[in-house]
Amino acid sequence: MAKSNKPIIWGTFAAGGTLTAFVTPVLMVLTLLAATGHLPEMLGYDKLHAFAAGWFGKLVIFVILFLSLWSQAHRLRCTFYDFGARADTLVAITVYALAGVGSIATLVYLARL
Amino acid sequence: MSRRPYVREVPRTTWFFKHPRYMRYMAREVTCIFIGIYTVILLVGLARLSEGPAQYEGFLEALRQPGSVLFHLLALAFSLYNTFTWFNVAPKALPVQVGDEHWPDSVVSGGHYVVWVGLSLFIRFWAGVL
């Protein structure tokens, strides 16, 4: 059987695409409210810290950031190609490396909470 | 001796201006730039949250810059476009077959929209905004 990393990469794309479709707009609305000076109660330091310090909050934050990073990295790879930057191997290594660094950073920050 | 197949000339960087369908495809593809940058903003927020109240306050202060508000508006528009395109192809990606019949496309994508609205309202409620 041919070995390919495609199912893994595409799996995170499908899961991440679904996740970003469902939750990213409402998250943007919440931070937009914060940006316009109407800070949602939950985004205050005390409440958000309490949420993110619990195991459930950590899991939610990790899943959202991990899947967003990997799905958008994959789509960014295709977008580079579509705009005429066809050094696909270089682009792929770069975007997936960024997603990997972001995933590890997420774990480190969550561990420090 | 090699075969010389006909290769149609396609302009590398401007091909998508040739047809509205290609433009819609590219609009969907570039949503990843906005959602990607937004994900990095969330990651920075998480970093500041882990560093302490003063650092997190600095992050909120940075969010209130005019450029940040403008970015949020643009990103929200692209993100909504991503959501609509995702739900509209859902019947192709997740066809639901019961017996010999497939559920109509409108039921599958409609179901996604209903769940999306419900989930968004729930998250707003959880965040203390309604």
Side-chain angles (χ1 to χ4, degrees):
Chain A
M1 208 171 83
K3 284 193 178 158
S4 162
N5 63 8
K6 215 160 183 180
I8 299 167
I9 297 293
W10 213 83
T12 61
F13 174 70
T18 305
L19 180 105
T20 54
F22 276 104
V23 306
T24 306
V26 69
L27 293 180
M28 285 177 174
V29 168
L30 295 180
T31 52
L32 177 62
L33 285 170
T36 52
H38 306 86
L39 186 71
E41 214 180 300
M42 199 60 208
L43 296 191
Y45 178 81
D46 292 335
K47 288 213 163 187
L48 193 60
H49 190 276
F51 172 73
W55 69 268
F56 180 71
K58 281 186 165 64
L59 184 69
V60 169
I61 292 170
F62 181 73
V63 168
I64 290 177
L65 288 180
F66 177 83
L67 288 180
S68 299
L69 283 168
W70 284 92
S71 64
Q72 302 313 303
H74 182 65
R75 188 170 257 179
L76 191 58
R77 175 187 176 185
C78 303
T79 305
F80 265 101
Y81 192 92
D82 291 336
F83 276 115
R86 298 195 177 169
D88 185 54
T89 309
L90 178 68
V91 170
I93 290 171
T94 308
V95 295
Y96 295 146
L98 287 172
V101 169
S103 307
I104 292 167
T106 304
L107 285 175
V108 170
Y109 297 137
L110 285 174
R112 283 185 189 161
L113 279 163
Chain B
M1 206 183 109
S2 63
R3 227 162 39 89
R4 300 191 49 200
Y6 172 70
V7 179
R8 190 164 60 103
E9 284 289 320
V10 177
R12 235 179 209 218
T13 53
T14 55
W15 60 272
F16 52 91
F17 290 114
K18 296 219 160 165
H19 196 288
R21 189 186 300 134
Y22 301 160
M23 287 291 285
R24 290 199 296 276
Y25 166 84
M26 280 307 249
R28 194 194 67 199
E29 292 301 281
V30 299
T31 61
C32 77
I33 297 170
F34 292 91
I35 298 175
I37 293 172
Y38 183 71
T39 306
V40 173
I41 293 175
L42 291 183
L43 188 56
V44 171
L46 177 66
R48 298 294 167 264
L49 184 71
S50 75
E51 287 162 2
Q55 285 80 358
Y56 185 67
E57 202 47 54
F59 170 72
L60 292 179
E61 182 67 42
L63 270 191
R64 289 192 289 267
Q65 299 296 314
S68 153
V69 177
L70 183 66
F71 171 78
H72 268 86
L73 291 172
L74 270 174
L76 182 59
F78 277 95
S79 179
L80 285 171
Y81 188 68
N82 176 54
T83 297
F84 299 151
T85 56
W86 196 269
F87 290 171
N88 293 344
V89 297
K92 302 274 182 290
L94 296 167
V96 181
Q97 190 175 7
V98 178
D100 289 337
E101 301 292 322
H102 280 92
W103 283 7
D105 288 2
S106 57
V107 171
V108 178
S109 43
H112 278 75
Y113 280 100
V114 169
V115 172
W116 175 55
V117 170
L119 187 65
S120 299
L121 287 174
F122 172 77
I123 293 175
R124 282 184 67 126
F125 179 73
W126 167 84
V129 187
L130 213 71

